[in-house]
Amino acid sequence: MNENFTFAHLSDFHLFSLKGARVRDLLNKRIYAYLKWRIHRFTEHRADILKALAVDLKKMAPDHIVITGDLTHSGLAGEVVEAEKVLRGLGAPEDVTVIPGNHDNYVAAGGSSPFRSLSPYMASDSPRRTECVAPDLSCHFPTLRIRRHVALIGLSTARPCLPFLAVGRLGTAQLERLAPLLDETGRRGLFRIVLIHHPPCAGMMSWRKRLMDLDSLGRVLTGQGVELVLHGHTHRSSYRWIGQPRRAIPVIGLPSSTALGRTREKLARYHVYSIPERPAANPFGVRVRVYSSASGGSFVEEPFSPPGHLVIGRF
Ligand SMILES: [Fe+2]
């Protein structure tokens, strides 16, 4: 067996469907999501790019796939059905790890929220025994999946919020559960990867799209240590770090993996990470796969070029 663990990071599909939607399903914040879709997103998030993505993933054959939220555009039941279909095409729930984004939990729903049907892809290896009655499953987070020498720790920042806001919040209870989880997985010598929809770095998002408890999260991450943080939400490529330079935690963000994007940094892409079992000089490697219309609508390799202070390898 290859001693490296490989996984693909995808994000922000924004699957849209009005199938089965009733007028009353749209008479809330979703009306803004619908209008936004009509105005420009339907030209951005494209089915042919999603298809090309699935083809390229088959070729790259990573050991695992992670998706950092916004699978759906407004959490409508038809969109969730679509999301389930796409996920089944990507792999079994144990091979694909999903966390929610703000668009997946767009409006407050009752106990029968369609969001729950994605739970097999979000669940921990050993789910907590307490029954989670919250429709958005917020009490299940943080989740923990261990794949070989890697711990995948999923967070949920997805909380319904007012129209024109796209803020995220972890909440005290989730942060209190995160600290011991990082401590325990660190003691076991696992390579800890935190998956979060909203970026945990200051200055990356406007006030109305920010992570509200960013400072509290930063204290937990830098206090306990973590090897890598991956996020979505920004719809653009980004390479940052948090903490002191000598113990910097890399924070890497992706644009949507299915959007044509209006600039190069917003063009559909995904990353394939390679995590060595025994960390060497380079803690991990990254391959960048970018959508290219010029290459017949397929994903092609692009050099990974983070800022110089990020010590990240290639493979
Ligand atoms: Fe998004």
Side-chain angles (χ1 to χ4, degrees):
M1 187 193 277
N2 179 357
E3 71 162 24
N4 288 1
F5 175 75
T6 63
F7 72 93
H9 174 208
L10 326 174
S11 203
D12 293 81
F13 291 6
H14 285 260
L15 298 166
F16 179 73
S17 173
L18 289 175
K19 214 171 180 178
R22 298 154 299 183
V23 173
R24 71 166 185 264
D25 294 330
L26 297 174
L27 292 179
N28 46 45
K29 185 181 172 182
R30 283 194 181 115
I31 196 68
Y32 300 103
Y34 172 73
L35 292 172
K36 203 169 177 185
W37 182 269
R38 297 298 306 174
I39 292 165
H40 74 94
R41 282 217 162 144
F42 78 99
T43 57
E44 259 188 69
H45 298 276
R46 291 182 10 184
D48 59 327
I49 300 182
L50 180 58
K51 212 167 162 185
L53 172 70
V55 169
D56 202 61
L57 279 164
K58 287 254 177 329
K59 196 169 76 186
M60 298 299 288
D63 297 326
H64 197 85
I65 293 172
V66 304
I67 306 177
T68 48
D70 283 3
L71 263 176
T72 65
H73 188 58
S74 61
L76 282 165
E79 296 174 356
V80 175
V81 169
E82 198 57 36
E84 278 184 280
K85 214 188 297 173
V86 169
L87 289 175
R88 272 199 302 275
L90 293 178
E94 57 271 26
D95 297 324
V96 182
T97 298
V98 174
I99 59 159
N102 53 300
H103 281 260
D104 299 313
N105 196 15
Y106 214 57
V107 295
S112 59
S113 166
F115 187 81
R116 280 184 166 256
S117 55
L118 301 179
S119 60
Y121 287 89
M122 299 193 200
S124 292
D125 291 333
S126 313
R128 285 165 3 109
R129 290 212 180 135
T130 43
E131 175 69 15
C132 183
V133 291
D136 59 5
L137 300 172
S138 54
C139 30
H140 279 327
F141 292 89
T143 55
L144 172 64
R145 289 178 159 199
I146 296 175
R147 299 292 177 269
R148 295 174 50 199
H149 49 284
V150 171
L152 298 167
I153 296 161
L155 300 179
S156 174
T157 56
R159 308 284 176 107
C161 56
L162 293 169
F164 305 113
L165 291 183
V167 293
R169 193 164 64 82
L170 292 153
T172 311
Q174 190 175 175
L175 285 165
E176 282 174 359
R177 291 192 290 267
L178 176 62
L181 195 62
L182 289 174
D183 180 50
E184 187 219 318
T185 46
R187 283 174 198 275
R188 289 168 67 180
L190 296 165
F191 188 98
R192 297 161 296 178
I193 301 172
V194 165
L195 309 171
I196 184 170
H197 183 65
H198 290 74
C201 301
M204 285 185 72
M205 298 308 294
S206 66
W207 179 85
R208 65 180 196 87
K209 294 183 176 181
R210 76 198 191 282
L211 177 63
M212 294 170 78
D213 36 16
L214 179 143
D215 291 341
S216 307
L217 174 63
R219 279 193 289 277
V220 174
L221 296 181
T222 52
Q224 298 294 338
V226 53
E227 281 63 57
L228 177 62
V229 179
L230 303 178
H231 69 86
H233 191 53
T234 60
H235 288 226
R236 62 168 62 90
S237 289
S238 61
Y239 311 109
R240 302 289 174 98
W241 78 102
I242 49 179
Q244 299 302 315
R246 290 183 63 170
R247 291 188 62 202
I249 300 168
V251 178
I252 303 181
L254 270 187
S256 164
S257 303
T258 61
L260 199 51
R262 279 164 287 181
T263 60
R264 185 78 193 156
E265 62 166 2
K266 291 184 174 183
L267 183 58
R269 71 187 58 208
Y270 71 97
H271 291 163
V272 183
Y273 290 84
S274 176
I275 315 291
E277 191 168 354
R278 289 172 207 84
N282 286 329
F284 57 89
V286 188
R287 290 179 71 173
V288 182
R289 305 290 296 174
V290 184
Y291 180 75
S292 166
S293 310
S295 301
S298 59
F299 280 74
V300 298
E301 194 88 8
E302 181 177 90
F304 180 65
S305 46
H309 50 263
L310 276 183
V311 184
I312 296 172
R314 294 176 176 81
F315 68 100

